[in-house]
């Protein structure tokens, strides 16, 4: 807890200092703008599965965007997989995003790119017992489409797909398909969010490594339903997150990494 608190304080001071030196309107240099974000979550879930042993995590990152639509994002988070010497995730994304007219009255936004998920120390502290490969790191290519104002004003529907040739924990081929939706809730200032994703791994052993479970399936569904609210320059979120991974024959404690949970997050952009 002391280690987590020190990280939170350090990042909080850094965010506050950065916010005072950056104007509300992002300054462009050679067509490039920069923005950052610091977040605290009660449980870091990735595709429905905890990355922090169901404990709080501190996260933060920067995105450098060019007026052409190209961007570079650097992001990090504390993690806890129960693996000695592995406590930090560091990701880097290189992508391109732009809009086009889907119809005369609707603009759609596409986003394509590649992202590398890194885990400091995992190369020397983790070995996949099924194939003898070391490390947790993996790389994905992704593509998504977002459609605003589909049903209500200011709502958004998104669809996406990702592929990794060697997924988390060196578990070989992986596909991910997801659909998301967000919309303002009347005049409350709240935004409702929902998403569902389909995870397809190479085999049952791969799923057992990535998410646990009794090893009966090679795929699973993750989901999220929640609300967001902005106040005093902060963004808060309260989400119900879970999966349909089989839990037969497991103890309550063993189910927790991917069982349904309520997650609270608080973030500050600058």
């Amino acid at each position: 807890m002391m280690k987590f608190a020190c990280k939170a304080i350090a990042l909080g001071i850094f965010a506050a200092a950065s916010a005072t030196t950056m104007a509300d309107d992002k300054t462009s240099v050679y067509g490039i703008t920069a923005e950052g974000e610091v977040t605290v979550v009660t449980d870091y879930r990735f595709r429905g599965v905890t990355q922090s042993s169901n404990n709080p995590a501190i996260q933060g990152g920067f995105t450098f965007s060019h007026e052409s639509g190209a961007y570079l994002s650097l992001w990090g988070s504390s993690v806890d997989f129960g693996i000695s010497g592995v406590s930090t995730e560091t990701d880097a994304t290189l992508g391109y995003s732009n809009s086009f007219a889907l119809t005369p009255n609707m603009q759609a936004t596409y986003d394509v790119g590649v992202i590398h998920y890194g885990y400091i120390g995992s190369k020397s502290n983790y070995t996949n017992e099924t194939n003898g490969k070391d490390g947790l790191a993996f790389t994905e290519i992704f593509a998504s489409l977002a459609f605003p104002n589909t049903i209500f004003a200011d709502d958004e529907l998104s669809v996406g797909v990702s592929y990794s040739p060697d997924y988390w924990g060196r578990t070989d081929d992986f596909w991910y398909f997801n659909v998301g939706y967000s919309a303002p809730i009347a005049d409350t200032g709240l935004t409702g969010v929902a998403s569902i994703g389909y995870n397809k791994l190479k085999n049952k052993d791969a799923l057992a490594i990535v998410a646990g479970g009794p090893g009966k399936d090679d795929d699973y569904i993750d989901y999220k339903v929640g609300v967001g609210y902005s106040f005093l320059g902060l963004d808060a979120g309260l989400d119900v997150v879970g999966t349909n991974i089989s839990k037969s024959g497991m103890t309550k404690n063993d189910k927790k990494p991917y069982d349904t949970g309520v997650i609270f997050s608080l973030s500050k952009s600058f």
Side-chain angles (χ1 to χ4, degrees), residues 232-244:
L232 301 176
L234 300 172
D235 296 314
L238 187 65
D239 303 304
V240 176
V241 181
T243 74
N244 73 335

Side-chain angles (χ1 to χ4, degrees), residues 122-205:
S122 68
K123 188 74 173 180
S124 56
N125 290 283
Y126 173 80
T127 300
N128 183 322
E129 295 181 356
T130 64
N131 56 27
K133 296 180 181 179
D134 297 326
L136 301 173
F138 65 99
T139 300
E140 282 186 346
I141 56 174
F142 65 87
S144 68
L145 281 172
F147 308 94
N149 305 312
T150 53
I151 302 175
F152 306 106
D154 300 320
D155 74 348
E156 183 174 89
L157 173 69
S158 63
V159 294
V161 59
S162 300
Y163 170 74
S164 175
D166 200 2
Y167 194 49
W168 191 94
R170 310 303 302 276
T171 49
D172 297 320
D173 293 302
F174 171 80
W175 286 92
Y176 185 66
F177 304 90
N178 66 291
V179 178
Y181 181 74
S182 65
I185 302 175
D187 297 323
T188 62
L190 296 169
T191 299
V193 296
S195 66
I196 185 167
Y198 174 70
N199 302 256
K200 179 65 175 70
L201 293 101
K202 183 176 182 180
N203 50 42
K204 299 176 183 178
D205 290 335

Side-chain angles (χ1 to χ4, degrees), residues 53 79-88 119-127 135-136 168-169 209:
S53 293
V79 295
D80 182 2
F81 303 116
I83 302 172
S84 178
V86 181
S87 62
T88 306
Y119 303 89
I120 296 174
S122 68
K123 188 74 173 180
S124 56
N125 290 283
Y126 173 80
T127 300
L136 301 173
W168 191 94
I209 290 171

Side-chain angles (χ1 to χ4, degrees), residues 87-103:
S87 62
T88 306
E89 174 183 341
T90 56
D91 304 343
T93 304
L94 185 62
Y96 182 82
S97 180
N98 217 325
S99 299
F100 64 96
L102 189 65
T103 69

Side-chain angles (χ1 to χ4, degrees), residues 97-115:
S97 180
N98 217 325
S99 299
F100 64 96
L102 189 65
T103 69
N105 299 316
M106 178 181 287
Q107 289 280 328
T109 300
Y110 63 89
D111 188 11
V112 295
V114 58
I115 177 171

